[in-house]
Amino acid sequence: MQKLKVLITGASRGLGLAISKKLESEYSLILHASKEENLGEVGPDSHILCADFSDAEQINAFCKQLKKDHGDSLYAVINNAGLTFDKPITFQPEREIDAMINVNLKAPVMISKTAMKIFGLNKKGVIINISSVVGESGNAFQSVYAATKAGLVALSKSLAQEAAALNAGHEIRVLSVSPGFIETDMTDAIPETEKEKYLKMIPAQRFGKVEDVAEAVLFLLSDKASYINGTNININGGIL
Ligand SMILES: NC(=O)c1ccc[n+]([C@@H]2O[C@H](COP(=O)([O-])OP(=O)(O)OC[C@H]3O[C@@H](n4cnc5c(N)ncnc54)[C@H](OP(=O)(O)O)[C@@H]3O)[C@@H](O)[C@H]2O)c1
């Protein structure tokens, strides 16, 4: 049987890389990074589609290519690519604000728009948007990042409702996943004193591993999760 196709954005490192490793035996993957050379070696069943999402024109070109190359067979999208520039908003240059909005929110919106067209024809598909714990709690010095992540939760819930409003008898699901503090390049940049402060807030008494998120994504994509829809799944060790 032919494997179902799944797009994973930001698959070059961190969570996206772990998700791609977790899914590769079961699915045919479309792997994205900002540049092809960042992806390294990819499996035989994998396709590559790269774009710098901080550039709105590249997002549009990416969506067009996605539809052209994979429009007949796309089963799922994991909108995972993301970036943050942590600082007080009064010191935040507009180019950083635009980059966070484009990469973290505009790209998932446009990719979801493309996917919803494809899923509407097939009456089947899954979108998982990788949000963050700070999308709900907020976080000092991450105001724009947190706003983009909150946007992904609302986008997912809205699209789940929209899929139902437009498609009778469909199997389309849209979800968000909100990781807490997971050990990746993104969190390596946080100073040790800050990390100690975060650790005290986590009932699981450890930071998350990329596998904690990848395992959940594998389950959420599967038919075993067919009744989990239009909601946000926290993976954060119990952060209050
Ligand atoms: N780590 C955590 O604790 C944590 C917690 C909550 C939520 N998250 C979310 O989880 C997702 C993955 O985070 P991570 O920790 O794995 O981050 P990471 O290690 O920094 O990796 C970020 C990924 O996003 C891609 N990306 C960054 N800027 C891009 C751009 N301008 N255009 C296209 N792609 C770009 C990167 O591709 P290149 O290699 O090509 O740059 C890379 O694949 C993000 O959305 C993040 O907000 C992470």
Side-chain angles (χ1 to χ4, degrees):
M1 208 174 74
Q2 231 188 348
K3 287 180 177 173
L4 296 168
K5 259 187 207 170
V6 179
L7 166 68
I8 305 168
T9 70
S12 52
R13 49 198 164 93
L15 287 172
L17 179 61
I19 292 167
S20 70
K21 293 293 162 213
K22 185 62 71 184
L23 301 188
E24 72 183 354
S25 62
E26 223 166 292
Y27 297 96
S28 168
L29 303 180
I30 308 162
L31 300 172
H32 158 272
S34 66
K35 294 188 204 113
E36 193 165 334
E37 59 260 38
N38 294 353
L39 279 172
E41 209 173 307
V42 305
D45 248 347
S46 298
H47 311 262
I48 292 176
L49 195 50
C50 289
D52 181 346
F53 289 158
S54 61
D55 175 355
E57 280 182 24
Q58 287 198 41
I59 297 175
N60 288 334
F62 177 90
C63 291
K64 263 194 198 150
Q65 203 63 41
L66 177 67
K67 187 151 181 273
K68 186 162 172 270
D69 294 351
H70 307 288
D72 55 344
S73 53
L74 187 69
Y75 166 64
V77 170
I78 318 293
N79 279 314
N80 164 78
L83 88 171
T84 184
F85 301 100
D86 297 354
K87 62 189 64 157
I89 196 158
T90 45
F91 292 103
Q92 193 113 58
E94 192 175 347
R95 70 180 148 71
E96 289 184 358
I97 294 173
D98 287 343
M100 284 187 279
I101 291 173
N102 282 346
V103 176
N104 300 356
L105 189 58
K106 181 155 190 183
V109 167
M110 298 307 287
I111 294 167
S112 297
K113 177 179 167 176
T114 307
M116 290 295 275
K117 278 187 196 158
I118 296 166
F119 296 172
L121 295 173
N122 300 338
K123 302 277 184 229
K124 189 176 172 76
V126 184
I127 299 174
I128 298 178
N129 289 309
I130 306 295
S131 177
S132 165
V133 63
V134 303
E136 194 180 356
S137 63
N139 198 21
F141 315 125
Q142 283 195 323
S143 52
V144 178
Y145 174 76
T148 62
K149 293 299 177 180
L152 290 179
V153 175
L155 173 73
S156 309
K157 291 182 180 179
S158 304
L159 290 182
Q161 293 171 31
E162 204 167 298
L166 296 177
N167 302 285
H170 73 99
E171 291 175 46
I172 300 170
R173 295 183 292 122
V174 189
L175 295 159
S176 56
V177 164
S178 290
F181 189 107
I182 311 293
E183 290 166 340
T184 68
D185 287 356
M186 188 178 268
T187 43
D188 272 355
I190 299 171
E192 281 306 316
T193 48
E194 284 291 300
K195 284 188 187 173
E196 280 165 27
K197 203 178 79 190
Y198 288 132
L199 196 51
K200 290 201 178 98
M201 292 158 52
I202 304 172
Q205 296 183 329
R206 67 169 176 88
F207 297 129
K209 298 186 186 315
V210 287
E211 288 75 23
D212 294 323
V213 178
E215 205 55 78
V217 169
L218 176 67
F219 170 71
L220 291 170
L221 275 187
S222 74
D223 282 341
K224 291 177 194 156
S226 63
Y227 207 55
I228 304 178
N229 188 20
T231 193
N232 181 53
I233 309 290
N234 291 312
I235 305 174
N236 60 23
I239 285 181
L240 303 171

